Amino acid sequence: MNELPIDKKIILFDGVCNLCNASVQLIIRKDKKDIFRFVALQSELGKKILNHIGVNTNSIDSILLYEPGNAYYYKAEAALKIATSLGGFYNLLVIFKIIPNVVSNYFYDFVATNRYKWYGKKESCMMPTPELKAKFL
């Protein structure tokens, strides 16, 4: 995957989900160290990354954090790693690491299953503004 920056963490997200898009906007605002880049799961690059790391594109519909050449995380674990990477207040969320993944993923899946019903859905993936274009791959 030569087109990916090796010094950035890649967040793959549901590009048509309003909750996911709001989360991406929050991460962009709080990412003072310019740690993250973003790719919609529905995009060709998103599918290519999932295939590269061996994740079935049909079985993933949640957030995935990919650290090129290192590891990947999904669902609640990805959300927690993203939050704690932002630093500041978000470091306090490290307390949630004591909750077993099976429990935290249960709650994550509950929200993920209902996200379109609660927050709505776009007809297509969001288009970043010119200022934010560099954050998206």
Side-chain angles (χ1 to χ4, degrees), residues 53-83:
I53 60 178
V55 174
N56 183 341
T57 57
N58 296 325
S59 67
I60 190 89
D61 68 346
S62 65
I63 196 165
L64 188 137
L65 174 64
Y66 175 50
E67 298 175 358
N70 190 15
Y72 70 90
Y73 311 91
Y74 63 98
K75 296 188 180 187
E77 187 177 21
L80 186 57
K81 286 205 170 277
I82 291 166

Side-chain angles (χ1 to χ4, degrees), residues 31-101:
D31 185 18
K32 303 300 182 201
K33 297 177 190 170
D34 193 33
I35 297 170
F36 299 108
R37 292 297 177 264
F38 303 89
V39 177
L41 288 166
Q42 295 87 347
S43 71
E44 286 305 312
L45 182 56
K47 293 173 189 170
K48 199 173 181 182
I49 292 169
L50 292 175
N51 186 49
H52 174 74
I53 60 178
V55 174
N56 183 341
T57 57
N58 296 325
S59 67
I60 190 89
D61 68 346
S62 65
I63 196 165
L64 188 137
L65 174 64
Y66 175 50
E67 298 175 358
N70 190 15
Y72 70 90
Y73 311 91
Y74 63 98
K75 296 188 180 187
E77 187 177 21
L80 186 57
K81 286 205 170 277
I82 291 166
T84 56
S85 293
L86 294 173
F89 163 79
Y90 297 100
N91 281 333
L92 298 176
L93 297 175
V94 75
I95 189 75
F96 288 107
K97 283 188 177 183
I98 64 170
I99 300 172
N101 278 347

Side-chain angles (χ1 to χ4, degrees), residues 18-19 107 110-121:
N18 287 335
L19 174 62
F107 290 105
F110 180 73
V111 172
T113 300
N114 292 291
R115 68 186 187 270
Y116 295 145
K117 183 172 36 171
W118 296 341
Y119 300 97
K121 182 177 177 181

